[in-house]
Amino acid sequence: MQGILVTEGVRGEGGILLNNKGEQFMYQDIPDAYKNQTAKDPEEGWRYCQGDRNANRPAELLTRDHVARCIRHEVRAGCGSPHGGVFLDIAWIKARIPNGAEHIKRKLPSMYHQFKELGDIDITKEPMEVGPTTHYIMGGVRVDAETQMSRVPGLFACGECAAGINGANRLGGNSLSDLIVFGKRAGEFAGKHAKQQAAPALDADQVEAAAREALAPFERQASGEGPYQIQQDLQVMMQDLVGIVRREEEMQRALEELARLRERAGRVRVTGNREYNPGWHTALDLENLLTVSEAITRAALYRKESRGGHFRDDFPDKAAAFGKVNLVVHKAPTAGCNWKRRPSPKCRRNSSKSSRR
């Protein structure tokens, strides 16, 4: 039952994460920075969920990126669930609470009905199979901090698609405020920019070339491949090789696989009419999906450290040098991506202050 979001409230009400051996594995890896804030054992964690102010939170309520990495480690160790995740069990609290099943239904009504209706799973009787998924993109289009305009004149970006205030890991709750503040800036400056520009002149030859390129998938009825399988293969490959826990050899394999997927995408075909054709839309999206996937892979490959949501198995610690730079990845003139290191804005301000002194 993929594609169903499980609220963090399940863990907040006492849900525990189990591997395929029935082990509550989260207590096996508590970061030093959180040890004083985390329960010593499941018993203390349960008291916290029941409102005991003298108890620390259970290990299941550690930061989302850490929980996701722990799940991934269990799967890689062969201790995952049948579909590549782990088990989230809230039914166990029936042994601690009178009328536990009714308590679960009252506290988690949407989760109970969602799993019952869509997956025929009764969460008051059996565990849910869960796994981490993409939640928020760190980094994005390089923009001016004041205007939100990118390096492409007239193209503005804000929120999750733009590089901005979040650094290596977004703080919980600031996504909407990010959109409100920088979306307002982007809209205002986009309006000012548009008023200051003359109407652009269109090159008819370029328009015709773009139209031919967009319609090309309709011409490959015999030799081409459908777009959905390429998209699915790209998603699976990126999850497996450039996912939550990264390794250099796997990311190198991902770059090789991306080249093969790009070749397949160049032969993609679609059928049917142009109107309301999702297959055609997917075919047109593939080039952008492949470009972004390569940019993510190369940025993760070049950043030989672990920081925030970015974790490298082969470089598990922070590297001081990477704390002072941003990695800027851009499309090469022909194919693929190039990259450069750029001092972070904070470091540039510090160095200019020093020079003035």
Side-chain angles (χ1 to χ4, degrees):
M1 195 176 68
Q2 293 184 354
I4 303 300
L5 181 65
V6 180
T7 174
E8 293 179 72
V10 176
R11 287 177 284 136
E13 293 297 332
I16 58 176
L17 292 169
L18 304 171
N19 61 21
N20 61 19
K21 299 178 182 178
E23 298 170 335
Q24 200 171 342
F25 58 88
M26 285 301 303
Y27 285 89
Q28 300 171 9
D29 183 13
I30 299 175
D32 290 339
Y34 298 119
K35 281 185 177 178
N36 292 334
Q37 309 165 26
T38 306
K40 297 185 293 295
D41 51 45
E43 182 62 33
E44 183 182 0
W46 170 245
R47 296 202 313 271
Y48 175 93
C49 292
Q50 293 304 293
D52 186 344
R53 295 186 178 183
N54 295 318
N56 287 321
R57 62 183 178 180
E60 279 83 4
L61 293 181
L62 285 164
T63 58
R64 286 177 292 198
D65 57 315
H66 179 73
V67 173
R69 285 196 294 272
C70 288
I71 293 174
R72 186 62 177 163
H73 279 130
E74 291 300 308
V75 173
R76 280 187 162 172
C79 298
S81 61
H83 298 93
V86 293
F87 298 102
L88 175 59
D89 186 12
I90 188 66
W92 80 276
I93 70 172
K94 291 188 296 181
R96 296 294 191 99
I97 297 178
N99 299 318
E102 294 306 314
H103 176 85
I104 295 169
K105 292 178 185 178
R106 184 173 68 255
K107 289 287 188 175
L108 301 164
S110 63
M111 286 292 97
Y112 174 77
H113 290 291
Q114 180 173 278
F115 275 87
K116 190 67 174 174
E117 294 297 321
L118 301 179
D120 195 25
I121 294 172
D122 187 342
I123 67 172
T124 69
K125 297 179 180 179
E126 56 188 314
M128 298 155 269
E129 191 176 356
V130 299
T133 188
T134 301
H135 180 60
Y136 195 95
I137 295 294
M138 307 308 307
V141 178
R142 187 181 182 185
V143 294
D144 177 80
E146 297 299 323
T147 67
Q148 298 299 113
M149 186 161 74
S150 71
R151 296 172 66 191
V152 178
L155 179 63
F156 295 76
C158 65
E160 188 176 353
C161 76
I165 63 173
N166 294 298
N169 207 356
R170 178 176 65 85
L171 292 173
N174 76 346
S175 182
L176 182 57
S177 56
D178 184 3
L179 279 173
I180 291 172
V181 172
F182 295 101
K184 180 176 184 292
R185 289 190 184 186
E188 287 179 347
F189 283 100
K192 290 179 182 178
H193 179 84
K195 290 178 180 178
Q196 294 168 358
Q197 307 302 311
L202 297 179
D203 186 320
D205 291 337
Q206 287 185 344
V207 173
E208 181 62 28
R212 286 197 303 270
E213 183 178 353
L215 293 171
F218 287 104
E219 308 301 324
R220 305 188 189 114
Q221 302 301 329
S223 60
E225 180 180 0
Y228 295 118
Q229 187 60 54
I230 301 174
Q231 182 190 46
Q232 173 69 12
D233 291 347
L234 174 62
Q235 290 174 335
V236 171
M237 185 276 293
M238 289 295 291
Q239 176 79 352
D240 290 344
L241 301 181
V242 199
I244 295 161
V245 179
R246 295 158 171 171
R247 299 172 181 170
E248 180 161 353
E249 64 272 17
E250 292 180 344
M251 289 187 285
Q252 292 288 6
R253 283 168 47 201
L255 291 174
E256 296 171 3
E257 188 60 33
L258 281 168
R260 287 190 283 270
L261 287 166
R262 192 177 293 278
E263 183 180 352
R264 289 169 59 189
R267 302 192 301 270
V268 70
R269 66 176 176 86
V270 295
T271 58
N273 299 319
R274 300 182 195 176
E275 296 82 1
Y276 309 108
N277 190 328
W280 185 27
H281 299 164
T282 302
L284 296 177
D285 284 343
L286 284 175
E287 174 63 27
N288 295 326
L289 291 173
L290 289 162
T291 298
V292 171
S293 296
E294 182 178 349
I296 290 171
T297 303
R298 291 194 182 278
L301 186 62
Y302 300 144
R303 184 171 282 278
K304 297 181 185 296
E305 65 159 1
S306 293
R307 184 179 298 269
H310 166 66
F311 189 84
R312 291 277 301 263
D313 242 3
D314 41 1
F315 296 96
D317 300 317
K318 286 184 180 180
F322 284 105
K324 300 176 182 178
V325 298
N326 291 324
L327 295 180
V328 180
V329 183
H330 56 89
K331 285 192 71 174
T334 54
C337 296
N338 292 330
W339 70 284
K340 296 178 182 178
R341 294 188 186 189
R342 288 285 182 264
S344 69
K346 181 178 179 181
C347 293
R348 285 201 296 270
R349 286 198 298 272
N350 288 341
S351 61
S352 68
K353 288 179 181 177
S354 298
S355 64
R356 285 197 296 271
R357 285 199 291 269

